[in-house]
Amino acid sequence: FYNTQSVFRLMASFLTTDPARQSALLQAYSDYLSSALAFTSDTSDGFKPDGTAWHHWGHYPAYATGAFERVPVSLKTLSGTCYRIGEAGHANFRHAFLASTIYSNPLYYGLGQAGRHPLGGNIASLKNACRLLALSGTPDGKHAIDAKVASTYVRLWGNPPDNSFDGLELDPSPPTGHWTFPYAALSVHRRADWSVNIKGYSRYVWASEIYNLDNRYGRYQSNGTVQILPNMPQEQAGYIEDGWDWNHPPGATTVELPFKELEPEEPLLMFKSEESYAGGCALGGNGVWAMKLNEADGFSIDPEKKKMRFPAGLKAHKSVFCFGERLLCLGSGIEACGHAPVHTTLFQMATTPDNLAVYDGEELLLDPAGNGYKVLSDSIVVVTNKEQSSPNNTYSLRKGEGKTGAVASASGFFSTAWITHGNAPNNGTYAYVIFPQVGVMDIPAFEKRVAEFPSFRILRQDDRAHIVEDTESGTVAYACFEGGTMGVGVLESVSVPCFAMVRKSAEGLGVSVANPDLNQKEDAVKGLFSGVSKAAPVTLKLAGSWKIKGTAKAWTEPVGDSTLLSVECVDGKSMEVELEQR
């Protein structure tokens, strides 16, 4: 509707020459669009509380761009009049629009969000829409130009040709921090020179969208992908389709299969697992993301819910701890059956024979785009620099046909690295650190650079929890896959599977909590989830005597030498609480 009808509905208000009827139609249009834009609770389509944009029953930026292009035309046309779009609708749309500039960098939004358009998704078409949104004013109508949106425009596209932002105090610097998007099982960690998208799936979020002749080999694009998006075009960063090995998305844990076996038999496939644990938590510009990867127990939702599993039954517990300019990636409980090897990919990128990945043979790697990796686990690492060939995503090897004009396959020169877990692993693990955009250097220079970074401490890594301490910030981050005893740091136990981050200071404790279970009602026929996310408390048992400082949707109860902290959680988002000594 936003893409194909909304502007024309506005134009239709002027098909009458009667001023009174024009006014009535404009008011009706404004009321309707204001209400529609503000609505977030249904699962079918629309803009969700976290800024994700839903179509085809999931976050789908490829469709959102059409809405993002059109709605600002209406906002700008009606701004400054008595028919301006209501504050709640304007604010919700603005939130989703700006979110697209957070999970994209500079304009590319990565594999995990690509839907059935792998290696092709971007927000390049939003240039004029961003300018119009800025000129529509702030949602409350107090300012004729929205400085935050205008700053985003200047950051991405430079000053507008009409000089419409002259005289404004703008801040076009790149965003820095950590964002969670629970309705996409997505976390984004950004620093000035780069961004990293971390993507999973669950019973609420589909893994990928595979169509009859689209994205035929995209099964793994949300298997815990960790994709570095430097401040450069995606082609320059090495993300191109010709020759791309669909078995090795960066960060993903996968079963390496011949492409004909990787392609599903089903013409349409949107796979969900039965797991509710996928999401993240943020505190102080840092964060943790994790998921229970489960290809053994799930279902497809298109055209209707159909119980299914992938033959190898791949499972894993995966997490990524994001602190400052480092990301620690952990895996445990990796298992699969069959005879195909299981890998966790560090990177894959198109390059040239004179710009190769470098590996010291033990623990340090450098990819061609200037990212560094340190393998902490006792793992077998494989690095390849070679010409490789792969089928086009719009060509079906099973059917022997493709879309009009699609070539069956193409080749390219790539550097790829992965940790191998062997065939049919049982309780496989991995641990490695990513240092994005450390620059082009040799291994000795990288080793010296790594020594300058603050260290991580892995406190627990099993199928109940992954727990990591960041020594620089004094923060302990918890991915609690199960409820029960944690026994690490100040956190003694949790009531349900959740995320938590605890930061000690002289003033007390900063705590952030998130429940990844969106707690929505399921349509048993379609496998879709609808209605609002129902709020529910998550209770943490903390060592020591604590009380709430300030206000929060939380409460405490002393229990012996410990404190029960209960936090009202909803929408999978991070809920922050400040505590002080009782």
Side-chain angles (χ1 to χ4, degrees), residues 237-528:
Y239 302 123
I240 63 173
E241 181 172 347
D242 288 356
W244 181 266
D245 185 345
W246 305 103
N247 282 297
H248 289 119
T253 299
T254 62
V255 181
E256 185 179 38
L257 297 169
F259 292 126
K260 193 170 183 178
E261 292 182 30
L262 179 60
E263 180 186 359
E265 296 180 3
E266 297 85 356
L268 302 178
L269 179 59
M270 298 170 75
F271 181 76
K272 291 182 175 183
S273 74
E274 291 288 1
E275 306 289 352
S276 61
Y277 195 96
C281 188
L283 178 67
N286 298 311
V288 54
W289 171 97
M291 74 176 294
K292 290 182 180 179
L293 174 62
N294 187 350
E295 292 191 343
D297 186 16
F299 55 96
S300 179
I301 63 170
D302 195 355
E304 62 181 15
K305 184 174 182 179
K306 178 184 177 182
K307 188 73 176 175
M308 67 168 291
R309 73 188 302 274
F310 291 106
L314 175 66
K315 293 183 179 181
H317 290 65
K318 292 172 66 68
S319 64
V320 184
F321 295 82
C322 308
F323 287 97
E325 299 184 353
R326 303 150 296 143
L327 294 89
L328 173 62
C329 304
L330 300 181
S332 64
I334 302 170
E335 62 178 67
C337 57
H339 302 289
V342 176
H343 298 161
T344 296
T345 300
L346 302 179
F347 59 83
Q348 178 184 188
M349 55 188 57
T351 184
T352 61
D354 58 355
N355 182 32
L356 306 178
V358 180
Y359 177 41
D360 71 353
E362 295 182 359
E363 60 179 16
L364 300 180
L365 301 92
L366 288 160
D367 70 29
N371 306 301
Y373 307 78
K374 181 177 181 179
V375 179
L376 304 179
S377 52
D378 184 18
S379 301
I380 298 174
V381 178
V382 176
V383 180
T384 64
N385 295 290
K386 65 178 183 178
E387 187 88 11
Q388 57 191 41
S389 180
S390 65
N392 187 291
N393 88 90
T394 63
Y395 188 90
S396 169
L397 291 175
R398 288 184 179 272
K399 293 183 177 181
E401 65 181 43
K403 280 191 167 181
T404 302
V407 296
S409 64
S411 299
F413 194 92
F414 282 78
S415 287
T416 308
W418 64 81
I419 292 170
T420 181
H421 305 291
N423 298 2
N426 182 22
N427 199 30
T429 65
Y430 65 81
Y432 64 95
V433 183
I434 303 175
F435 302 88
Q437 293 297 281
V438 291
V440 178
M441 58 180 69
D442 57 18
I443 289 293
F446 177 48
E447 185 175 22
K448 182 179 180 181
R449 181 75 181 94
V450 168
E452 297 171 356
F453 283 98
S455 62
F456 288 118
R457 291 180 61 214
I458 302 173
L459 304 178
R460 184 169 183 175
Q461 184 184 354
D462 57 34
D463 287 356
R464 293 194 63 83
H466 292 177
I467 306 173
V468 170
E469 180 184 14
D470 173 50
T471 57
E472 181 181 37
S473 66
T475 302
V476 180
Y478 302 78
C480 306
F481 297 110
E482 305 292 340
T485 301
M486 293 296 112
V488 176
V490 72
L491 183 58
E492 295 180 347
S493 66
V494 297
S495 61
V496 294
C498 63
F499 294 95
M501 298 180 71
V502 180
R503 180 177 58 197
K504 286 186 177 181
S505 68
E507 292 75 31
L509 292 181
V511 180
S512 185
V513 184
N515 183 351
D517 192 337
L518 295 177
N519 199 14
Q520 291 179 297
K521 183 180 179 181
E522 181 184 10
D523 179 332
V525 176
K526 293 288 291 182
L528 308 177

Side-chain angles (χ1 to χ4, degrees), residues 52-65 68 103 109 113-117 184 206 209 211 270:
T52 52
W54 272 48
H55 194 61
H56 288 196
W57 314 290
H59 176 50
Y60 210 146
Y63 275 88
T65 51
F68 289 148
Y103 55 69
Y109 48 70
Q113 303 179 81
R116 66 177 186 272
H117 314 283
W206 40 258
E209 184 182 52
Y211 264 35
M270 298 170 75

